[in-house]
Amino acid sequence: RHAVRKFADFLDDPDSHTHGSEFLPFGSVELRGYAVAVHGLSSAEPFGIAELFHDAFASAERHRDRASQSQRRLKGTVAAVAAAFAALLLGAAVEWFQPKPADPGLAEQVQSFRDREPPPGIRLAEKNLPRNRRALAAFHADPGFERLPVSLRDFVEGRLREIDNYREYFARLQTLPCPADARSLEELDRCEGILQGELALPLNYNWDGTEAAQLRDKWLADIPLLRGAEAKWQEWYRGLVNQALALTHAASFEGEWRANANAVAAGAERKPFDADAAIPGSRSLPQPRGEAVTYKVAAEFDRVYQASRDWDFARARLTHLGELADALGLTAASNRVLVIPPAGGMPPSEWIKRIDEACPAPEAWRLANFPQPGRTLLAARLHESIGHGANRVKRILAAKLTADSPEAYRRLADTLEEPAIRDWGRLLTLLLRLDDSHAADPLEELAAFLRTKEFAIDAKGFELTIPLSLRVPPVLPSGKLTIAVTPPTGTAEIIAFEHSGEGVSHGLTTVYQFVPEKPAALSYHPGDGLKLELPVRSGEQRFTLSWADGATMTFHFDRWQREPKLVSASGSEPATGVKLTMLSGSRWPRLPLLLPALSPGK
């Protein structure tokens, strides 16, 4: 009771409140006191606890119900106030936007507009379209539009939709790559498909005669014209290519070959069409992208472009072939700058100058650029000139050679830098590289060869070809093929090759293969002797095939490449038709092109 009284005094005392009001900031408080004890005075049981909790929960429930009811009342009040305010705003808006009275002449204006409406080609023209749309939009925006008859309202709205749809269609049409933009038949087909598909004229409008319809019709008409012009361009270029190919693959350069080659080149200068001229049938429209298509458009299609590139290649090859044939004297032309006679003529420096003037880019005259059978003719005449030039150089060098000995040949190497000889080397190098772009300078090759003191020989085997007509009965191997290297002083070093398997018939010849008994590596020094021998028989007769002849007595490397002799006890005879071929992988020194033989009388 004392605690309740003291708390009640506190609630009733205004001075104890700091907010300046006699009321509590959270409302009123109903104070009730309970005497409770956790342990009773006379027992261990609690006193008054259950009653306290029961009354507290009941009081809390009543407070929650009062708070919920107050919240609902507050929301209802706010909603009522908002509804009233909205009703006031709506009334004000209706009063403010009340439509003005309709123009009594609107129906007559719309009807007059419809009666005087021109065809689609005029009313949808670019210059008339904005004005017509403004007039229709003004009708639609008139306050009395909704009071018009349905037919007039449908007319105005339909024409406005048509204008919007037409503008959209025309914009899509103008963004489409037109036939003049195509660069292949595939692009032309795609353009045609779009024009006849998604850009076909809509069926619900009559747009015949409009600028969009005219442009679309023109493009559809241009497509087959471009196909035809493209085919004609391609056919013309292919005709030129075929003529050039026929002349390039000719078996001879005599007669009318040069005149025909000139005629093909001259014909190519006369184009079948004026590139800037319009293709017949292609009309021109007075609007953007409505120009007539020209032959130049068709000439830029990919197939025509490729055909023109093929012609450029064929023309260049035919031109260079003609120049090379002229230079080698295979045509009636007077320019024979690659023809080196056996004797006489210009000095080599002048020949080089003439060749540089006739062919600034020597790679264009390479034999590998040209097909058969003409290449064989060119190669034969080129090698003939190379042979004549080489023989002239060898005669010059042979005059300087004092003896057929290693020492004399080494001294000869020191004379190869003389200007006159160097000019011949440059000329022959130029000719050799027309056949082999990697050909070495023959003088440098000769100098290195003459200064070499030891050569390696490593034969992996041979194929021996014996004609059946050599003797009757046929000549057959009867022993081992031997190679003997004999120093000037000392014993011969011999390696042997045994016959492998049976001979294989090739027409009127038989081919035998020989493989080494053991590794067939030899060292050869200039001046050593070198001989190849093979025992053979013809029936009961015994012979020896001997390869013992060569160009010099100092370098015997060419023995095996020459025709051997058939040697018997009674003498020797040429073994005509017998040929020895070295197997792949072999190492055998080769005599340089310009290696001279000793001049007669020395």
Side-chain angles (χ1 to χ4, degrees):
R1 285 196 298 269
H2 176 73
V4 169
R5 186 171 58 252
K6 294 295 288 183
F7 193 53
D9 293 342
F10 169 76
L11 294 178
D12 293 337
D13 185 6
D15 296 334
S16 63
H17 307 153
T18 59
H19 54 81
S21 172
E22 61 178 324
F23 300 106
L24 294 174
F26 46 81
S28 59
V29 174
E30 178 183 350
L31 184 63
R32 181 181 303 168
Y34 286 82
V36 296
V38 176
H39 300 288
L41 299 179
S42 60
S43 68
E45 294 295 330
F47 176 78
I49 297 295
E51 293 79 359
L52 171 64
F53 273 90
H54 177 272
D55 291 349
F57 282 127
S59 178
E61 183 179 9
R62 289 193 300 271
H63 174 74
R64 184 178 60 185
D65 291 342
R66 287 195 303 271
S68 299
Q69 184 178 15
S70 175
Q71 186 71 20
R72 288 194 297 272
R73 289 176 180 174
L74 177 61
K75 290 181 179 178
T77 301
V78 172
V81 172
F85 185 70
L88 290 174
L89 289 178
L90 179 62
V94 170
E95 180 65 24
W96 180 265
F97 292 106
Q98 182 68 28
K100 299 178 181 179
D103 183 359
L106 180 61
E108 287 80 2
Q109 295 178 25
V110 175
Q111 184 64 48
S112 175
F113 184 90
R114 184 169 68 174
D115 293 343
R116 293 183 292 104
E117 187 179 54
I122 297 176
R123 61 184 172 82
L124 293 177
E126 187 64 28
K127 63 179 181 179
N128 299 326
L129 201 60
R131 183 179 67 250
N132 292 338
R133 196 184 191 294
R134 284 196 300 273
L136 291 167
F139 294 153
H140 192 274
D142 192 283
F145 178 77
E146 295 299 330
R147 299 190 182 94
L148 292 177
V150 174
S151 61
L152 295 181
R153 292 202 308 271
D154 290 345
F155 167 76
V156 172
E157 292 174 345
R159 286 293 184 260
L160 286 172
R161 282 195 303 273
E162 181 186 26
I163 289 174
D164 293 340
N165 292 338
Y166 178 80
R167 281 179 165 174
E168 179 186 359
Y169 174 88
F170 205 179
R172 291 171 57 204
L173 182 66
Q174 290 174 327
T175 59
L176 176 71
C178 65
D181 298 328
R183 290 300 177 266
S184 69
L185 294 179
E186 290 75 14
E187 292 180 5
L188 211 57
D189 292 341
R190 284 197 294 272
C191 178
E192 185 177 34
I194 294 174
L195 289 174
Q196 293 181 339
E198 60 185 272
L199 286 182
L201 293 176
L203 299 178
N204 55 331
Y205 293 123
N206 177 20
W207 287 349
D208 292 340
T210 61
E211 293 171 346
Q214 290 179 356
L215 186 60
R216 173 181 176 274
D217 293 344
K218 169 192 162 42
W219 287 355
L220 285 173
D222 286 343
I223 289 173
L225 298 177
L226 280 172
R227 286 197 184 104
E230 187 265 358
K232 292 177 180 177
W233 272 116
Q234 188 187 27
E235 181 181 359
W236 182 73
Y237 278 118
R238 292 302 175 196
L240 292 174
V241 170
N242 291 336
Q243 294 179 63
L245 287 177
L247 290 168
T248 304
H249 290 81
S252 172
F253 299 100
E254 299 176 350
E256 299 297 321
W257 188 91
R258 167 45 73 191
N260 292 336
N262 293 339
V264 172
E269 300 301 323
R270 298 186 295 272
K271 302 295 183 184
F273 312 106
D274 179 1
D276 295 326
I279 301 175
S282 178
R283 60 192 179 118
S284 177
L285 297 178
Q287 58 172 298
R289 308 179 76 201
E291 302 84 0
V293 291
T294 63
Y295 281 105
K296 183 179 180 180
V297 175
E300 293 174 349
F301 271 51
D302 55 1
R303 292 200 314 170
V304 179
Y305 176 81
Q306 184 57 52
S308 70
R309 299 285 74 77
D310 293 345
W311 161 240
D312 290 341
F313 172 79
R315 175 177 55 188
R317 187 168 65 165
L318 179 61
T319 299
H320 297 316
L321 177 61
E323 293 171 350
L324 184 57
D326 294 342
L328 290 171
L330 292 172
T331 67
S334 59
N335 181 17
R336 299 160 62 89
V337 295
L338 296 182
V339 177
I340 300 178
M346 300 177 288
S349 58
E350 184 63 24
W351 248 306
I352 295 172
K353 180 181 177 182
R354 296 280 184 88
I355 293 173
D356 289 342
E357 291 174 352
C359 184
E363 62 274 6
W365 281 11
R366 296 240 166 90
L367 296 184
N369 297 337
F370 309 112
Q372 297 289 10
R375 187 196 302 173
T376 299
L377 299 176
L378 297 169
R381 186 59 65 90
L382 177 63
H383 293 160
E384 181 181 344
S385 284
I386 293 172
H388 289 163
N391 289 337
R392 295 175 68 168
V393 176
K394 286 194 284 187
R395 287 197 295 270
I396 296 172
L397 297 178
K400 297 177 178 293
L401 189 62
T402 58
D404 192 346
S405 66
E407 296 77 13
Y409 274 106
R410 279 195 290 270
R411 287 195 299 271
L412 180 65
D414 298 331
T415 69
L416 300 182
E417 293 300 324
E418 295 179 5
I421 298 176
R422 286 306 312 159
D423 287 343
W424 276 109
R426 291 173 54 211
L427 176 59
L428 290 175
T429 300
L430 193 154
L431 297 181
L432 287 167
R433 287 179 179 172
L434 293 180
D435 189 16
D436 179 4
S437 60
H438 301 292
D441 184 322
L443 280 178
E444 294 179 0
E445 184 181 53
L446 176 61
F449 179 86
L450 295 178
R451 293 188 174 103
T452 301
K453 296 181 180 180
E454 181 178 291
F455 298 90
I457 295 177
D458 184 7
K460 302 300 183 183
F462 295 90
E463 282 188 349
L464 176 66
T465 302
I466 302 177
L468 298 176
S469 60
L470 182 59
R471 292 186 71 85
V472 179
V475 174
L476 303 174
S478 61
K480 298 178 180 179
L481 174 67
T482 60
I483 300 177
V485 174
T486 307
T489 59
T491 58
E493 186 177 0
I494 300 174
I495 55 175
F497 298 79
E498 57 186 4
H499 179 214
S500 173
E502 300 295 327
V504 179
S505 296
H506 288 280
L508 298 178
T509 64
T510 305
V511 178
Y512 302 90
Q513 190 171 83
F514 292 84
V515 295
E517 290 182 323
K518 59 182 180 179
L522 294 171
S523 293
Y524 180 90
H525 302 85
D528 290 351
L530 189 149
K531 180 187 293 187
L532 290 82
E533 291 184 335
L534 172 66
V536 296
R537 62 184 175 84
S538 174
E540 297 299 326
Q541 292 182 293
R542 301 291 174 172
F543 299 90
T544 299
L545 281 175
S546 176
W547 288 265
D549 295 332
T552 75
M553 296 303 294
T554 302
F555 305 102
H556 294 191
F557 302 131
D558 59 337
R559 300 292 194 264
W560 69 275
Q561 295 173 303
R562 294 176 176 266
E563 184 177 85
K565 290 185 178 180
L566 196 60
V567 181
S568 65
S570 59
S572 65
E573 61 185 80
T576 304
V578 175
K579 181 181 179 182
L580 199 60
T581 304
M582 197 172 296
L583 296 184
S584 175
S586 300
R587 293 177 59 196
W588 195 280
R590 181 179 61 87
L591 293 183
L593 173 67
L594 301 182
L595 181 69
L598 189 64
S599 298
K602 286 192 178 179

